[in-house]
Amino acid sequence: MAVYTLPELPYDYAALEPVINPQIVELHHDKHHAAYVKGANDTLEQLAEARDKESWGSINGLEKNLAFHLSGHILHSIYWHNMTGDGGGEPLAADGVGELADAISESFGSFAAFKAQLTKASATTQGSGWGVLAYEPLSGRLIAEQVYDHQGNVGQGSTPLLVFDAWEHAFYLQYKNQKVDFIDAMWAVVNWQDVARRHAAAKERGDSLLLAP
């Protein structure tokens, strides 16, 4: 049986218009995300076969494939819930997300500074990648990460809270080669309630790295 399954979208294909058109949402979820799920499951089967046969000639490639496909599945699963047609704006205490708003201000100086950094990190990824707001458990602060592919250049142990997909398949049919225009538009559909829930859950887990006894 498959270990990983493609999650259903929390809205219909047209829910994010005009920021993301229905064709992109359908292709992105049903084809691209589905391919990462299949890739992760296929790689697990191949690793099981390698263990059974004690055949380790392809171990480097298999481990890399698992990291790539599994991270793609995880990031996309967060991505869909990070967005809503009723989203956007700035996280505010009046909307019940004051703790997240305070954490952003403490970690970046202001919401405007945070928005500028994450926008630049997302829009300037070399080739394929993501911009990610993450909770870093050692310091208890929020950090912005620029993720290559799905898994490279990531601080170990950090928990993704808000992810911007900067792969071409996320925007090219609508925005052509204007990645920065897509990232700018993405701020209008951010689901701050979802981001705040992820932040609260990450803080609850605390310092899970246990670097010292």
Side-chain angles (χ1 to χ4, degrees), residues 24-44:
I24 288 179
V25 175
E26 181 176 5
L27 289 171
H28 195 169
H29 176 266
D30 296 2
K31 301 298 182 182
H32 292 280
H33 188 173
Y36 300 128
V37 173
K38 183 180 186 302
N41 286 320
D42 288 349
T43 307
L44 287 180

Side-chain angles (χ1 to χ4, degrees), residues 160-205:
L161 309 178
L162 172 64
V163 299
F164 284 179
D165 192 342
W167 284 63
E168 284 192 346
H169 64 237
F171 63 88
Y172 199 85
L173 289 176
Q174 185 174 355
Y175 293 85
K176 307 307 180 190
N177 63 336
Q178 299 302 312
K179 182 190 296 186
V180 66
D181 290 346
F182 171 64
I183 300 302
D184 284 340
M186 276 287 298
W187 290 100
V189 293
V190 173
N191 184 347
W192 292 115
Q193 298 293 330
D194 181 68
V195 180
R197 285 192 293 269
R198 295 178 189 280
H199 178 239
K203 286 185 63 179
E204 183 69 21
R205 287 194 297 271

Side-chain angles (χ1 to χ4, degrees), residues 59-167:
I59 186 65
N60 286 346
L62 290 175
E63 295 288 1
K64 182 177 180 180
N65 285 345
L66 182 60
F68 176 82
H69 290 298
L70 180 54
S71 295
H73 173 38
I74 290 170
L75 287 170
H76 280 92
S77 297
I78 297 170
Y79 179 68
W80 303 122
H81 286 274
N82 272 171
M83 297 183 289
T84 175
D86 299 322
E90 181 177 344
L92 301 171
D95 298 324
V97 292
E99 191 169 322
L100 172 65
D102 291 344
I104 288 173
S105 293
E106 180 180 347
S107 299
F108 296 96
S110 67
F111 177 78
F114 153 67
K115 182 178 179 180
Q117 183 176 343
L118 187 58
T119 296
K120 287 296 184 183
S122 304
T124 59
T125 52
Q126 294 177 341
S128 302
W130 300 71
V132 176
L133 171 68
Y135 176 79
E136 196 285 290
L138 287 183
S139 64
R141 296 175 64 84
L142 301 180
I143 59 174
E145 296 182 317
Q146 189 178 56
V147 180
Y148 297 115
D149 287 337
H150 300 305
Q151 76 282 12
N153 206 33
V154 177
Q156 295 296 319
S158 59
T159 300
L161 309 178
L162 172 64
V163 299
F164 284 179
D165 192 342
W167 284 63

